[in-house]
Amino acid sequence: MKFAKEEYKEIDKLAKQDPWIILIADDEAEVHETTVRILNDSSFDGRPLQFIHAYSGFETKNLLEQNKEIAVIILDVVMESDDSGLQLISFIREELQNSLTQIIIRTGQPGHAPEKGVITKYNINNYLDKLELTAQKLFSAVITAVRSFNLASSLKSEIDQRIAAEKELKKYQQGLEKLVEKRTEELHEAVKSAEKANRAKSEFLSNMSHEFRTPMTGILSFATFGIEKYLDTDREKLLRYFTKIRDSGQRLLAMVNDLLDLAKLEAGKVVYEFYDTKVSSIVNMIISELSAFAKEKGVNIIFDSLPDEAKISIDSSKIAQVVINLMSNAIKFSESGQDILVKLEDDEKYMILTVKDRGCGVPEDELDGIFDKYIQSSKTKSTTIGTGLGLPITKNIINDHKGKIWAENNSDGPGSLFVVKLPKKMTAFF
Ligand SMILES: Nc1ncnc2c1ncn2[C@@H]1O[C@H](COP(=O)(O)OP(=O)(O)O)[C@@H](O)[C@H]1O
Ligand SMILES: [Mg+2]
């Protein structure tokens, strides 16, 4: 007989399938032999039968414990010397929680047929009387039991799969719920920060209009005085008017410059020119530039420089802007008679510039926020004029130098400390 390729595969598959395991539990060796002889060449669903043998209740228990896949047990109810059949049945169904193995009771003892209640309680699948037993009856009982075991097992595995699938689904749903929760939270956060930015922008706009209006009013009123009184006003007075007009104009220009600078920095449109420079040369220049402002405020600037200072690659006009912003803040937020300490240090990797003042300081939870656009700390917001653009500009410039900047409050008294770290070798950081 010749088989097609596909059929060979099918036969192969069947041959590899596990046999149905039949446990024969009986104390008489002869019963084992007869049973095997009757059933030996049988198969069900292409799978052969395989027999395992127990001659006592003890052995039966052992085999049941070791083999989870027993399809059928043919059980002699009264086996000599140990457990009675009934105890074994309750061991299978209750202790082992095995509801799949089919139980066929076979006994030659009259009056040992299980009662109806026992049959239902333990799900006994068949009962054979040894005295009336024929080969056909045994064969039909075992094959029916194997079929039932097969049905019950596939039903159970289907149920197990469904339970597992449901569990997966639940897990997936929970995951989905968590994801939705997380996204909603993120959305809330985004809305909150958008609202915060919006509030800061409104505050900035109202501040800005105030900032613009004051110098503008000054310019216009001094120009009007000049026009009205140019014939009978002495030169000294006219010079004062012009000086006021120039100062106010400079203030306006500085503000417009800040706005444009930040917009350019944020758009990445700033072109940097890096040259090897000593940071102290910039600090000295700014100290002398701000000396009039410091004198007016009555504060004293001390510069603690670094001996044998190395040059580092920086854009000096941008770093000058950083130093101006930090030092003018320090002067602005200090009281008359206080010192401002500017210090230059270095370590292996960085040049470190610190600006320390004895002024009002910054609330701890706002130390990061003051580097955001338009933000002024809650301590100074109502009392000082400003745009809240100096620190964000500063931070952008330092970031473009691959450096770091942050603010702290002094640990040795009032006031705040601004720290700038500039890398000595920028290339190493790219
Ligand atoms: N040295 C300082 N001491 C106390 N507060 C400071 C200091 N420097 C900055 N701040 C706080 O940070 C805010 C933002 O500073 P900045 O961006 O320079 O804007 P502006 O100076 O226009 O207010 C200031 O309004 C102030 O609240
Ligand atoms: Mg400022």
Side-chain angles (χ1 to χ4, degrees), residues 15-30:
K16 272 179 208 144
Q17 275 184 332
D18 296 333
W20 303 108
I21 300 171
I22 314 290
L23 168 58
I24 304 171
D26 205 302
D27 54 348
E28 288 176 55
E30 205 188 310

mmCIF file of all heavy atoms in Angstrom, residues 15-30:
data_model
loop_
_atom_site.group_PDB
_atom_site.id
_atom_site.type_symbol
_atom_site.label_atom_id
_atom_site.label_comp_id
_atom_site.label_asym_id
_atom_site.label_seq_id
_atom_site.Cartn_x
_atom_site.Cartn_y
_atom_site.Cartn_z
ATOM 1 N N ALA A 15 1.627 8.488 15.185
ATOM 2 C CA ALA A 15 2.587 7.600 15.843
ATOM 3 C C ALA A 15 3.265 8.305 16.997
ATOM 4 O O ALA A 15 3.623 7.689 17.993
ATOM 5 C CB ALA A 15 3.615 7.121 14.833
ATOM 6 N N LYS A 16 3.417 9.614 16.822
ATOM 7 C CA LYS A 16 4.124 10.346 17.873
ATOM 8 C C LYS A 16 3.209 10.697 19.037
ATOM 9 O O LYS A 16 3.655 11.151 20.075
ATOM 10 C CB LYS A 16 4.696 11.638 17.267
ATOM 11 C CG LYS A 16 6.069 11.420 16.689
ATOM 12 C CD LYS A 16 6.579 12.698 16.097
ATOM 13 C CE LYS A 16 7.559 12.388 14.974
ATOM 14 N NZ LYS A 16 7.448 13.348 13.886
ATOM 15 N N GLN A 17 1.883 10.516 18.828
ATOM 16 C CA GLN A 17 0.973 10.924 19.898
ATOM 17 C C GLN A 17 1.105 10.013 21.108
ATOM 18 O O GLN A 17 1.369 8.821 20.988
ATOM 19 C CB GLN A 17 -0.451 10.893 19.377
ATOM 20 C CG GLN A 17 -0.780 12.197 18.664
ATOM 21 C CD GLN A 17 -2.222 12.209 18.233
ATOM 22 O OE1 GLN A 17 -2.797 11.165 17.983
ATOM 23 N NE2 GLN A 17 -2.774 13.387 18.159
ATOM 24 N N ASP A 18 0.872 10.586 22.285
ATOM 25 C CA ASP A 18 0.998 9.793 23.511
ATOM 26 C C ASP A 18 -0.106 8.740 23.575
ATOM 27 O O ASP A 18 -1.203 8.976 23.092
ATOM 28 C CB ASP A 18 0.851 10.724 24.714
ATOM 29 C CG ASP A 18 1.969 11.734 24.747
ATOM 30 O OD1 ASP A 18 3.051 11.433 24.218
ATOM 31 O OD2 ASP A 18 1.733 12.841 25.276
ATOM 32 N N PRO A 19 0.198 7.637 24.215
ATOM 33 C CA PRO A 19 -0.857 6.622 24.382
ATOM 34 C C PRO A 19 -1.848 7.038 25.473
ATOM 35 O O PRO A 19 -1.564 7.940 26.256
ATOM 36 C CB PRO A 19 -0.069 5.387 24.802
ATOM 37 C CG PRO A 19 1.166 5.923 25.437
ATOM 38 C CD PRO A 19 1.475 7.227 24.777
ATOM 39 N N TRP A 20 -2.992 6.402 25.488
ATOM 40 C CA TRP A 20 -3.932 6.586 26.604
ATOM 41 C C TRP A 20 -3.456 5.700 27.744
ATOM 42 O O TRP A 20 -3.230 4.515 27.552
ATOM 43 C CB TRP A 20 -5.346 6.151 26.202
ATOM 44 C CG TRP A 20 -5.888 6.865 25.002
ATOM 45 C CD1 TRP A 20 -6.063 6.339 23.756
ATOM 46 C CD2 TRP A 20 -6.340 8.212 24.958
ATOM 47 N NE1 TRP A 20 -6.587 7.279 22.912
ATOM 48 C CE2 TRP A 20 -6.772 8.446 23.624
ATOM 49 C CE3 TRP A 20 -6.427 9.248 25.874
ATOM 50 C CZ2 TRP A 20 -7.271 9.660 23.202
ATOM 51 C CZ3 TRP A 20 -6.934 10.453 25.448
ATOM 52 C CH2 TRP A 20 -7.349 10.675 24.137
ATOM 53 N N ILE A 21 -3.316 6.248 28.913
ATOM 54 C CA ILE A 21 -2.798 5.443 30.029
ATOM 55 C C ILE A 21 -3.955 4.840 30.815
ATOM 56 O O ILE A 21 -4.879 5.541 31.242
ATOM 57 C CB ILE A 21 -1.907 6.295 30.956
ATOM 58 C CG1 ILE A 21 -0.735 6.837 30.137
ATOM 59 C CG2 ILE A 21 -1.409 5.475 32.142
ATOM 60 C CD1 ILE A 21 0.089 7.850 30.865
ATOM 61 N N ILE A 22 -3.892 3.524 30.949
ATOM 62 C CA ILE A 22 -4.934 2.799 31.695
ATOM 63 C C ILE A 22 -4.277 2.211 32.944
ATOM 64 O O ILE A 22 -3.303 1.469 32.850
ATOM 65 C CB ILE A 22 -5.510 1.621 30.857
ATOM 66 C CG1 ILE A 22 -5.815 2.053 29.414
ATOM 67 C CG2 ILE A 22 -6.720 1.003 31.558
ATOM 68 C CD1 ILE A 22 -6.966 3.000 29.253
ATOM 69 N N LEU A 23 -4.798 2.581 34.094
ATOM 70 C CA LEU A 23 -4.255 2.019 35.338
ATOM 71 C C LEU A 23 -5.146 0.868 35.799
ATOM 72 O O LEU A 23 -6.354 1.046 35.981
ATOM 73 C CB LEU A 23 -4.197 3.120 36.414
ATOM 74 C CG LEU A 23 -3.931 2.681 37.858
ATOM 75 C CD1 LEU A 23 -2.609 1.921 38.006
ATOM 76 C CD2 LEU A 23 -3.935 3.893 38.792
ATOM 77 N N ILE A 24 -4.501 -0.303 35.922
ATOM 78 C CA ILE A 24 -5.263 -1.459 36.428
ATOM 79 C C ILE A 24 -4.881 -1.650 37.893
ATOM 80 O O ILE A 24 -3.705 -1.835 38.208
ATOM 81 C CB ILE A 24 -4.923 -2.740 35.625
ATOM 82 C CG1 ILE A 24 -5.181 -2.491 34.122
ATOM 83 C CG2 ILE A 24 -5.737 -3.930 36.132
ATOM 84 C CD1 ILE A 24 -4.673 -3.597 33.219
ATOM 85 N N ALA A 25 -5.895 -1.492 38.752
ATOM 86 C CA ALA A 25 -5.626 -1.645 40.193
ATOM 87 C C ALA A 25 -6.377 -2.868 40.701
ATOM 88 O O ALA A 25 -7.602 -2.836 40.824
ATOM 89 C CB ALA A 25 -6.069 -0.381 40.926
ATOM 90 N N ASP A 26 -5.624 -3.916 40.934
ATOM 91 C CA ASP A 26 -6.249 -5.170 41.373
ATOM 92 C C ASP A 26 -5.186 -6.020 42.062
ATOM 93 O O ASP A 26 -4.030 -6.008 41.655
ATOM 94 C CB ASP A 26 -6.803 -5.918 40.143
ATOM 95 C CG ASP A 26 -7.929 -6.840 40.532
ATOM 96 O OD1 ASP A 26 -7.688 -7.725 41.387
ATOM 97 O OD2 ASP A 26 -9.044 -6.665 39.989
ATOM 98 N N ASP A 27 -5.567 -6.746 43.133
ATOM 99 C CA ASP A 27 -4.548 -7.535 43.818
ATOM 100 C C ASP A 27 -4.316 -8.901 43.172
ATOM 101 O O ASP A 27 -3.401 -9.617 43.525
ATOM 102 C CB ASP A 27 -4.887 -7.674 45.311
ATOM 103 C CG ASP A 27 -6.277 -8.226 45.526
ATOM 104 O OD1 ASP A 27 -7.052 -8.272 44.523
ATOM 105 O OD2 ASP A 27 -6.606 -8.561 46.664
ATOM 106 N N GLU A 28 -5.156 -9.248 42.175
ATOM 107 C CA GLU A 28 -4.967 -10.566 41.540
ATOM 108 C C GLU A 28 -4.212 -10.415 40.221
ATOM 109 O O GLU A 28 -4.697 -9.740 39.299
ATOM 110 C CB GLU A 28 -6.323 -11.197 41.238
ATOM 111 C CG GLU A 28 -7.055 -11.674 42.480
ATOM 112 C CD GLU A 28 -8.439 -12.203 42.117
ATOM 113 O OE1 GLU A 28 -8.537 -13.099 41.252
ATOM 114 O OE2 GLU A 28 -9.414 -11.675 42.666
ATOM 115 N N ALA A 29 -3.048 -11.062 40.122
ATOM 116 C CA ALA A 29 -2.213 -10.948 38.925
ATOM 117 C C ALA A 29 -2.967 -11.430 37.694
ATOM 118 O O ALA A 29 -2.835 -10.875 36.599
ATOM 119 C CB ALA A 29 -0.939 -11.765 39.104
ATOM 120 N N GLU A 30 -3.816 -12.411 37.899
ATOM 121 C CA GLU A 30 -4.532 -13.015 36.789
ATOM 122 C C GLU A 30 -5.473 -11.996 36.125
ATOM 123 O O GLU A 30 -5.579 -11.938 34.901
ATOM 124 C CB GLU A 30 -5.348 -14.190 37.355
ATOM 125 C CG GLU A 30 -5.655 -15.252 36.343
ATOM 126 C CD GLU A 30 -6.627 -16.244 36.943
ATOM 127 O OE1 GLU A 30 -6.357 -16.722 38.062
ATOM 128 O OE2 GLU A 30 -7.682 -16.502 36.312
#
